[in-house]
Amino acid sequence: MGQLIISVGREFGSGGRIIAEALAKRFNLPIYDRHLITEIAEKTGLTTEEIEKYNENPKHRLFSRSVRGYSNSIEDNIAEMQFNFLKTKAESGESFVVVGRCSETKLREYPALCSLFIIGDMDAKIKRVMEVYELSEDKAKDLIDKKDRKRKRYHNYHCSAHWGDSRLYDLCINSSRLGIEGTVDCLENYIRARIGE
Amino acid sequence: MTAAQIFAIVIFVGMFIMIVLDKIERHIVTLGSGVLTLVVVFGICMRSGGAIWDTIALKSFATRDFWYQVAETESKGINWATIIFIAGMMVMVEGMAKAGFFRWLCMKIAYLVKCRTIPVFITFTIMSAVLAMFIDSITVIMFLAAVTVELAQLLKFNPVPMILAEIFCANLGGSATMCGDPPNIIIGTSLGYSFADFLMNTGLIAGVSLIISVVFFYFAFRKEMVSANGAAVDMSKLPKPSEAITNKKDFVLSTIIFICAVVLLVTHSITHLTVATIGLFIAAVTLIVSGKDALKLLKKLDYKTLIFFIGLFIVVGGLEETGILEIIAKFIENISGGNVMLMVAIILWVSAVASAFVDNIPFAATMVPVIQSLSSTSGVDLKTLSWALAIGTDIGGSATPIGASANVVGTSVAAKNGYPISWGRYCKKLAPATVIVLAISTVYIFVRYM
């Protein structure tokens, strides 16, 4: 198998992260999600908590300024570090799975990229979030809205195209239709077809 | 209030909000606002071709004073002298950076003090101020902060205190001369002041403040740096200064050009050459000696900043032509009740507070006609108001991470290397330092000029 980079974008509660982990297992690839934070923490000397605090957060416009490509925003700089980290990995020929981080856009130039976006029916997402986070229905819905709004703002700030726009991805799939296992099977078949296996 | 005045204010306020929000690149914002000013304010509301012509100020190129100035003259509209000078210095700085000058200088000084933390801290902060007197603070901090991080990683100390002190001193050094900080270039070229005028006035304030600031930072940061200072330094692990030089011939030539620029600037009140002439000359020489690399150098020029200035001057011209700035000047005169000390304090402290949160360049460009008007109506010496404005805008910007370009670049370089600097971390030491320097400056101006 040549280089393979699987980028997984996801709506909160769609099971995107679990799907990404399952794909990483099936293709025997490392996955960069929280692990990305750990790797950057090791490289820079920052703690994972410090990175987590600013991770996938859009900057505060009123408290930030950019000058000739430099920004005082820690959020911007952490994001830039992650993008550079992913590009370095992609450049080195390594195969991996990455969750979020605008990876479908930032790694677009690499032919090995296979970009996926996982959506879900609201009912199914609420049910899932209620189970995982032990929340009431209302609170689960609020959390989904809040997280998706945050991801959208982060993505749209760092990329010119819109988060979740189907034209950005090779494949968009609703995990509520086939369930998590079925979705993973379907995506595995697609990826194997893509890499010619 | 006339329609022209209302539109001039709306365009100006809109431009400022757009710059602060940072959604659209600032040069597009100012240029768009400038075009709106020309069309709506001058064209539709005032129906004045003369106002458009005065604001575009192309005729200034044909005047002798633009290139060779014997007496102080004031300019209106687009300040082309500022734009040409900044462009010229940009070309020179690109040439110096390409030859490895800045990195060489940083490494050389680190070697001279044997890479011991506290001596490096003191020499780097002073070097930051001295370099920023002649070179834009963005370039100074870009190189100093990068070398500071590199040394910190090798010598195992926390680079954040040093970077913060360098940022502050770069802004302080910039306030010392006419070419150190864009507000000073605008003030100097608009009001016809010389390099020596700044050096003998804001320069002295900056000199006194630098000594106090270095002492302040030493005591504020010594605990954070003292642990590594005691450890023996293995100099063999450090990159040699000579390794920074990419091309010996280019290095020598760019150093000579830099020295020429400094000499021309320091003596321009004697030679009567304007900063526009000096900027053009320095750029031309740099491009000639660059040979086939001249085009590459030109391509690296920060055109966006130059366009930003053009748009900005047009918008401010709109406020000036419609008499809004006179109204502001009258307002300042009224609230100060004719008290000169209060007037100076208002100019200095309002400029400082505004510059801590918004770009000090549009603020200074707006305030220059205001202090001109204030001086002519109240009789207060224009130079005193100018120094208060220069110090306020230059130093006030140090208080927050977004107040000046050097702050943004310094904190960004630190963050990219794993040392994020939050607002709290930044303001804890630099906001008090800013207040101390502003207080010293206020007292200095009161004692010396009143």
Side-chain angles (χ1 to χ4, degrees):
Chain A
M1 185 176 82
Q3 188 185 22
L4 173 62
I5 302 169
I6 304 173
S7 150
V8 183
R10 74 290 183 214
E11 286 181 343
F12 189 73
S14 66
R17 190 174 48 83
I18 306 288
I19 292 168
E21 280 170 357
L23 288 172
K25 215 172 228 174
R26 291 194 189 185
F27 287 92
N28 196 23
L29 299 176
I31 179 167
Y32 296 125
D33 181 8
R34 285 198 57 79
H35 320 64
L36 186 68
I37 294 172
T38 319
E39 284 227 22
I40 290 179
E42 278 169 12
K43 230 178 153 187
T44 59
L46 289 168
T47 63
T48 50
E49 290 77 25
E50 277 174 310
I51 299 180
E52 193 66 69
K53 191 175 153 194
Y54 301 105
N55 182 42
E56 285 206 286
N57 271 328
K59 70 174 183 184
H60 296 282
R61 285 194 186 276
L62 284 179
F63 296 109
S64 310
R65 205 178 131 193
S66 303
V67 174
R68 296 193 206 168
Y70 291 88
S71 169
N72 73 298
S73 151
I74 300 177
E75 291 87 351
D76 271 2
N77 286 298
I78 296 273
E80 205 57 48
M81 267 185 214
Q82 302 197 32
F83 301 151
N84 289 339
F85 178 86
L86 291 174
K87 280 183 184 169
T88 311
K89 291 276 175 194
E91 201 62 51
S92 71
E94 187 186 314
S95 294
F96 56 91
V97 177
V98 54
V99 183
R101 274 84 183 176
C102 306
S103 47
E104 85 294 329
T105 304
K106 299 294 173 188
L107 301 177
R108 175 163 272 186
E109 65 195 271
Y110 299 96
L113 178 72
C114 180
S115 57
L116 314 169
F117 191 76
I118 319 293
I119 59 170
D121 289 344
M122 188 47 101
D123 292 348
K125 289 193 291 184
I126 290 174
K127 201 174 154 218
R128 188 176 174 75
V129 172
M130 284 169 69
E131 277 169 22
V132 175
Y133 295 92
E134 294 174 358
L135 293 173
S136 66
E137 191 177 336
D138 286 349
K139 285 201 170 153
K141 177 154 188 334
D142 286 347
L143 186 65
I144 291 169
D145 288 343
K146 192 179 146 196
K147 289 274 188 186
D148 280 350
R149 236 187 351 259
K150 191 176 131 187
R151 283 177 186 172
K152 190 176 177 178
R153 270 201 299 150
Y154 172 83
H155 182 281
N156 296 354
Y157 170 68
H158 289 289
C159 310
S160 52
H162 288 179
W163 179 75
D165 182 334
S166 59
R167 286 168 293 190
L168 270 185
Y169 311 91
D170 295 335
L171 192 67
C172 295
I173 190 163
N174 186 333
S175 61
S176 310
R177 297 286 169 270
L178 300 172
I180 299 293
E181 260 324 287
T183 305
V184 174
D185 292 341
C186 173
L187 290 174
E188 184 187 354
N189 288 335
Y190 169 75
I191 295 165
R192 292 207 185 280
R194 273 282 303 275
I195 59 177
E197 279 185 8
Chain B
M1 199 173 256
T2 65
Q5 287 178 324
I6 293 168
F7 277 110
I9 293 173
V10 168
I11 293 168
F12 179 77
V13 172
M15 178 190 80
F16 240 114
I17 292 171
M18 296 288 275
I19 290 174
V20 171
L21 289 179
D22 200 18
K23 269 201 161 183
I24 302 172
E25 285 196 81
R26 64 180 196 155
H27 68 287
I28 297 172
V29 171
T30 62
L31 196 63
S33 307
V35 171
L36 271 179
T37 303
L38 291 177
V39 175
V40 179
V41 179
F42 297 151
I44 299 172
C45 298
M46 291 172 67
R47 298 184 185 281
S48 168
I52 296 177
W53 189 237
D54 282 349
T55 303
I56 292 176
L58 286 172
K59 62 181 181 222
S60 61
F61 285 102
T63 61
R64 194 188 70 154
D65 276 351
F66 189 81
W67 307 104
Y68 183 84
Q69 192 181 57
V70 179
E72 282 179 9
T73 49
E74 295 167 0
S75 71
K76 266 175 88 176
I78 299 177
N79 189 331
W80 290 108
T82 295
I83 293 163
I84 292 179
F85 176 70
I86 289 176
M89 293 304 269
M90 278 179 186
V91 173
M92 179 191 78
V93 167
E94 275 302 331
M96 290 168 76
K98 192 173 143 278
F101 176 86
F102 297 108
R103 197 175 145 72
W104 169 83
L105 187 63
C106 296
M107 296 312 295
K108 188 81 188 166
I109 288 179
Y111 258 76
L112 284 175
V113 295
K114 299 195 166 43
C115 292
R116 283 165 301 156
T117 314
I118 297 296
V120 167
F121 173 77
I122 293 168
T123 49
F124 271 33
T125 47
I126 293 170
M127 177 166 64
S128 175
V130 173
L131 278 177
M133 287 168 70
F134 303 98
I135 290 166
D136 70 289
S137 55
I138 298 177
T139 308
V140 171
I141 288 300
M142 213 185 282
F143 284 93
L144 258 182
V147 173
T148 302
V149 168
E150 201 177 329
L151 287 175
Q153 283 165 350
L154 288 166
L155 305 173
K156 308 272 180 261
F157 68 87
N158 179 4
V160 172
M162 210 182 280
I163 290 175
L164 290 177
E166 286 163 4
I167 290 171
F168 189 88
C169 291
N171 292 329
L172 196 54
S175 72
T177 65
M178 182 170 160
C179 60
D181 209 6
N184 292 18
I185 306 171
I186 295 170
I187 294 168
T189 49
S190 302
L191 305 178
Y193 298 156
S194 69
F195 189 89
D197 285 333
F198 274 89
L199 201 62
M200 296 314 293
N201 293 282
T202 57
L204 289 179
I205 299 173
V208 172
S209 303
L210 179 64
I211 296 166
I212 293 166
S213 303
V214 172
V215 173
F216 173 85
F217 287 129
Y218 171 74
F219 283 106
F221 292 135
R222 71 188 194 286
K223 281 183 190 160
E224 289 180 64
M225 292 186 297
V226 81
S227 57
N229 193 36
V233 179
D234 183 3
M235 302 279 283
S236 63
K237 281 186 184 168
L238 297 166
K240 304 271 177 297
S242 55
E243 288 170 16
I245 300 170
T246 54
N247 179 314
K248 265 203 171 158
K249 186 185 132 219
D250 288 350
F251 176 81
V252 172
L253 287 172
S254 65
T255 309
I256 293 170
I257 293 170
F258 176 55
I259 293 167
C260 283
V262 172
V263 171
L264 284 172
L265 284 167
V266 173
T267 58
H268 86 127
S269 55
I270 302 163
T271 60
H272 302 299
L273 296 175
T274 63
V275 288
T277 311
I278 296 170
L280 195 64
F281 172 74
I282 291 299
V285 174
T286 307
L287 291 173
I288 290 166
V289 301
S290 302
K292 57 180 190 299
D293 288 335
L295 198 63
K296 271 190 214 162
L297 226 55
L298 274 178
K299 277 184 184 167
K300 283 187 119 181
L301 208 63
D302 183 10
Y303 293 103
K304 290 178 181 177
T305 297
L306 303 179
I307 293 169
F308 165 77
F309 274 104
I310 293 173
L312 174 67
F313 286 130
I314 298 174
V315 177
V316 174
L319 293 177
E320 200 176 356
E321 289 286 340
T322 53
I324 294 295
L325 299 180
E326 277 176 36
I327 297 172
I328 297 172
K330 200 80 203 150
F331 175 72
I332 295 173
E333 195 184 346
N334 287 341
I335 57 166
S336 62
N339 181 328
V340 182
M341 278 188 164
L342 190 56
M343 216 180 276
V344 168
I346 289 172
I347 298 287
L348 195 148
W349 286 87
V350 170
S351 305
V353 173
S355 300
F357 297 98
V358 296
D359 198 333
N360 63 2
I361 300 170
F363 188 83
T366 314
M367 284 301 288
V368 169
V370 172
I371 59 166
Q372 273 178 292
S373 177
L374 195 57
S375 169
S376 64
T377 55
S378 67
V380 181
D381 180 29
L382 181 57
K383 278 192 172 167
T384 307
L385 295 178
S386 303
W387 309 143
L389 176 62
I391 289 291
T393 49
D394 297 338
I395 306 299
S398 292
T400 68
I402 57 168
S405 303
N407 318 2
V408 177
V409 174
T411 49
S412 176
V413 170
K416 281 179 180 170
N417 286 282
Y419 304 96
I421 302 172
S422 65
W423 264 68
R425 175 84 170 96
Y426 182 98
C427 295
K428 196 176 166 190
K429 294 289 169 18
L430 265 61
T434 306
V435 173
I436 291 169
V437 170
L438 288 172
I440 292 168
S441 308
T442 310
V443 172
Y444 185 97
I445 291 175
F446 284 174
V447 172
R448 183 169 168 190
Y449 305 106
M450 285 165 200

